[in-house]
Amino acid sequence: MPMAGNALIIKLVIVSPELWSPMYFLLSHLSVDEILFTTNITPNMLNSLLREDGSISIEGCFVQIFLLGCFTVTECFLLAIKSYDRYLAICIPLNYHSLMSLRRCNQLSFGAWMGGLTLSAVSCFLIDLLQFCGSNVIDHYFCDFPLLLQKSCTDSYIIETEIRTFSILVTLPIFLFICLTYMYIIFTILKIPSTKGKKKGFSTCSSHLMVVSMYYATLVAIYVVPTKGHQYNLNKILSLLYTVATPLLNPLIYSLRNKAIKCALDNAIKKKLVVR
């Protein structure tokens, strides 16, 4: 379901001229990120749950961790860019097209992907400096940074601190930025004289903030807050929120509830029927 919903959004943005705007361009990037994210995590997770055979090679574990970090950080940046786009569209509409051109969207999106790639590569490089011994069993649904650090024979305090610092610098400032932009959006919506307009605006903002808050809250709980012993079971449950729940909810909340997306889908279906 998450992959189908995100794939549908990407297809509609490509074939529908009415969706060739910065907002939907950013949504297509978010959908690409979530498809790659889901593809990286879900197959091995389902294999582990259904067949009770979650074995993975060391190389495969490192690749999974690298991709996990890359797509997670990229989504953080994309969510921030999307909130900035909505802030410009609602709060500064007269300057929106000059401030958020397609060229600027390309630059921001490229920066988001490169930021995720770079930070994840640095974290994996630091982990590769460690030596691992003892049990090769990871009590989790997939390979993840905190549990791999736990398997290290060498002192991982410095590397763990560096990775936690990266996590703090990525999650907290961006989350605060998103909250700030939506505060300005809400203040602008309150000035709308129409009650119907206010309800529509608040409905959209509340849905977006719900998903963003859930996503960032789980990231902070897993990667920023120190984890000890009994908290690992809680982290296993929390990890399902940002690996399964968020990719499932984002297509519904960000796009498939959107009127323009629905119209584009109807037009695409009608064209398909006419062709046949």
Side-chain angles (χ1 to χ4, degrees):
M1 177 62 184
M3 291 186 62
N6 284 302
L8 177 61
I9 292 168
I10 297 170
K11 179 68 174 180
L12 288 175
V13 171
I14 292 174
V15 303
S16 305
E18 62 268 32
L19 299 182
W20 293 350
S21 65
M23 175 182 176
Y24 300 106
F25 177 82
L26 293 171
L27 284 174
S28 65
H29 273 272
L30 187 62
S31 295
V32 170
D33 180 83
E34 291 186 341
I35 287 176
L36 296 174
F37 185 94
T38 304
T39 304
N40 177 47
I41 296 296
T42 305
N44 197 65
M45 181 190 297
L46 292 177
N47 181 62
S48 175
L49 293 174
L50 297 178
R51 299 179 57 187
E52 297 183 356
D53 178 22
S55 60
I56 185 171
S57 65
I58 295 176
E59 294 79 9
C61 186
F62 267 85
V63 169
Q64 190 177 66
I65 286 179
F66 169 74
L67 294 177
L68 172 68
C70 178
F71 300 143
T72 300
V73 174
T74 299
E75 181 160 351
C76 288
F77 288 136
L78 289 174
L79 289 173
I81 297 169
K82 184 189 176 302
S83 69
Y84 177 65
D85 171 75
R86 291 299 83 206
Y87 162 75
L88 293 178
I90 296 174
C91 301
I92 318 178
L94 296 179
N95 296 328
Y96 174 69
H97 292 290
S98 61
L99 294 174
M100 187 58 75
S101 62
L102 286 177
R103 180 181 179 184
R104 178 65 58 83
C105 283
N106 275 317
Q107 293 171 343
L108 292 173
S109 300
F110 178 77
W113 286 100
M114 289 305 298
L117 180 67
T118 302
L119 291 176
S120 182
V122 171
S123 299
C124 287
F125 173 77
L126 292 174
I127 291 179
D128 192 47
L129 297 176
L130 300 174
Q131 294 183 351
F132 299 93
C133 60
S135 173
N136 62 348
V137 177
I138 296 178
D139 185 18
H140 205 13
Y141 302 117
F142 52 88
C143 291
D144 204 357
F145 287 104
L147 292 175
L148 196 60
L149 289 174
Q150 187 189 28
K151 298 297 179 181
S152 173
C153 301
T154 54
D155 185 8
S156 62
Y157 175 77
I158 295 178
I159 294 178
E160 185 176 351
T161 302
E162 290 174 341
I163 292 177
R164 183 167 291 119
T165 301
F166 285 151
S167 301
I168 293 173
L169 293 176
V170 169
T171 55
L172 296 184
I174 293 178
F175 179 62
L176 292 175
F177 173 80
I178 292 174
C179 291
L180 184 62
T181 56
Y182 274 104
M183 282 178 58
Y184 279 105
I185 290 173
I186 291 172
F187 289 148
T188 303
I189 292 173
L190 289 173
K191 298 178 182 178
I192 298 176
S194 169
T195 303
K196 184 178 180 180
K198 288 181 180 179
K199 287 183 178 179
K200 182 180 179 180
F202 279 123
S203 174
T204 302
C205 287
S206 61
S207 299
H208 292 183
L209 282 175
M210 178 185 69
V211 174
V212 170
S213 298
M214 180 179 69
Y215 184 73
Y216 278 92
T218 53
L219 292 183
V220 170
I222 294 173
Y223 298 109
V224 177
V225 179
T227 304
K228 301 294 181 182
H230 65 281
Q231 292 181 326
Y232 279 114
N233 288 330
L234 176 61
N235 281 1
K236 287 175 64 176
I237 298 174
L238 290 175
S239 66
L240 294 177
L241 291 179
Y242 83 95
T243 58
V244 178
T246 301
L248 177 64
L249 292 175
N250 274 346
L252 299 175
I253 290 178
Y254 280 109
S255 302
L256 298 182
R257 288 179 57 192
N258 184 282
K259 186 176 180 180
I261 291 285
K262 290 180 179 179
C263 291
L265 179 59
D266 289 339
N267 292 336
I269 293 174
K270 290 176 182 178
K271 289 179 181 179
K272 193 71 174 179
L273 292 176
V274 169
V275 170
R276 289 182 178 179

